[in-house]
Amino acid sequence: MFTVRNSFRRSSRLIENICWKNGDVVPRDCISTGPQQQNGTFYEFRTYRILPEKNAAFLKLTNEKIHLRTAHSELLGYWSVEYGGLNQVFHIWKYDSYAQRAGVRASLAQDPKWIEEYISKAMPMLMSQDNEVTYLVPWSKVERPPKEGGVYELASFQMRPGGPAVWGEAFQAAVNTYAAGGHAHLVGVFHSEFGQLNKANALWWYESPDQRAAVRHKAHGDARVVAAVRESVTYLESQTNKLMFPCPYSPLK
């Protein structure tokens, strides 16, 4: 009886360490929820809604004082939203770790010039602030546009719960097929960590709003893009987009 009981326990431990995938038995440690992050670098998305009558004043103040903020951490881009949200600015900040971000925020709170010359004047101009923490997806990197000028589109996709294990491959195929067809320049693809979960963001660059319209029209007739999108949207719950102009002080122009 003792021997039978020990055999059963050994079998139970073996079962705990395996699972089924496509009809085959595979070690459980080979299963994950999708591609894993290789480093701690993350990107903070910040969206500010400005009082309509203060929009011009806010942009002017930020243009004059943004150097006080960039002295503390790296700014990837800063845009004024033209379509998809009036009187808004959107900016992306890069951090190597959460500890670094905490240190930056602490330093800013002790920076008298930042507080007196910018924060005290800018805050009364704002209606709201929002932020999200995102990571570059493992198959993407930040690619600068081929030239300065032009417009950016932030396309945000709320995907079904489950993460990349559920929708990652289909979403990657849709984005890469669109980019490979020469329809637009892909700046980067990010997925959410804090904020709305299961959210994927694709940042695109176009020469102009009219060029974007022409590109979209062309893509709708591309059989490869249509097929990839049809597969991806089976995992899609909703999507939004913003067309944005880079501010003069934006590193991504």
Side-chain angles (χ1 to χ4, degrees):
M1 183 67 180
F2 181 77
T3 301
V4 172
R5 186 181 296 115
N6 280 349
S7 297
F8 177 77
R9 287 173 178 170
R10 285 195 297 271
S11 298
S12 297
R13 285 195 292 269
L14 286 172
I15 292 172
E16 288 174 358
N17 291 321
I18 65 173
C19 60
W20 294 89
K21 183 176 181 181
N22 297 327
D24 298 322
V25 177
V26 295
R28 185 172 294 278
D29 59 9
C30 292
I31 302 301
S32 71
T33 58
Q36 303 298 298
Q37 300 298 329
Q38 299 303 311
N39 57 60
T41 300
F42 66 87
Y43 299 82
E44 184 177 8
F45 285 11
R46 297 184 73 91
T47 303
Y48 296 170
R49 293 181 62 207
I50 309 164
L51 291 167
E53 68 275 15
K54 298 294 185 180
N55 191 60
F58 177 86
L59 292 174
K60 181 177 183 296
L61 176 67
T62 304
N63 185 44
E64 294 171 350
K65 301 298 181 180
I66 192 67
H67 65 280
L68 299 175
R69 177 62 184 83
T70 54
H72 291 266
S73 64
E74 182 179 350
L75 174 66
L76 187 67
Y78 204 114
W79 297 268
S80 176
V81 179
E82 183 71 11
Y83 300 108
L86 294 177
N87 302 301
Q88 291 185 11
V89 292
F90 172 74
H91 32 129
I92 303 176
W93 298 86
K94 181 181 178 181
Y95 296 99
D96 296 327
S97 66
Y98 292 100
Q100 186 217 352
R101 182 187 183 277
V104 167
R105 303 303 294 180
S107 295
L108 286 168
Q110 300 299 317
D111 185 336
K113 282 194 171 184
W114 172 248
I115 299 297
E116 296 167 13
E117 297 182 23
Y118 185 76
I119 289 295
S120 63
K121 298 176 181 179
M123 289 301 102
M125 301 182 188
L126 299 182
M127 296 174 64
S128 66
Q129 296 174 283
D130 190 22
N131 74 333
E132 299 174 79
V133 170
T134 71
Y135 288 96
L136 274 171
V137 297
W139 45 270
S140 175
K141 60 182 179 179
V142 175
E143 297 277 5
R144 291 184 176 274
K147 60 183 180 181
E148 292 188 358
V151 297
Y152 290 75
E153 179 183 14
L154 179 68
S156 300
F157 304 87
Q158 187 63 47
M159 309 300 285
R160 282 169 43 187
V166 174
W167 46 262
E169 289 184 5
F171 183 77
Q172 179 180 354
V175 170
N176 284 345
T177 302
Y178 187 78
H183 299 295
H185 178 86
L186 182 62
V187 177
V189 182
F190 308 79
H191 70 89
S192 60
E193 180 73 10
F194 290 105
Q196 282 188 300
L197 294 181
N198 299 293
K199 185 178 178 182
N201 303 277
L203 185 61
W204 301 92
W205 177 88
Y206 300 90
E207 292 185 2
S208 69
D210 287 316
Q211 190 246 346
R212 180 207 177 261
V215 162
R216 296 287 293 175
H217 181 75
K218 180 181 177 182
H220 291 162
D222 186 326
R224 295 167 300 177
V225 173
V226 171
V229 169
R230 281 178 177 170
E231 173 64 21
S232 179
V233 297
T234 61
Y235 304 100
L236 181 67
E237 293 194 337
S238 64
Q239 65 186 85
T240 59
N241 69 337
K242 300 177 187 292
L243 195 70
M244 312 179 298
F245 287 94
C247 295
Y249 42 87
S250 176
L252 282 175
K253 294 193 186 328

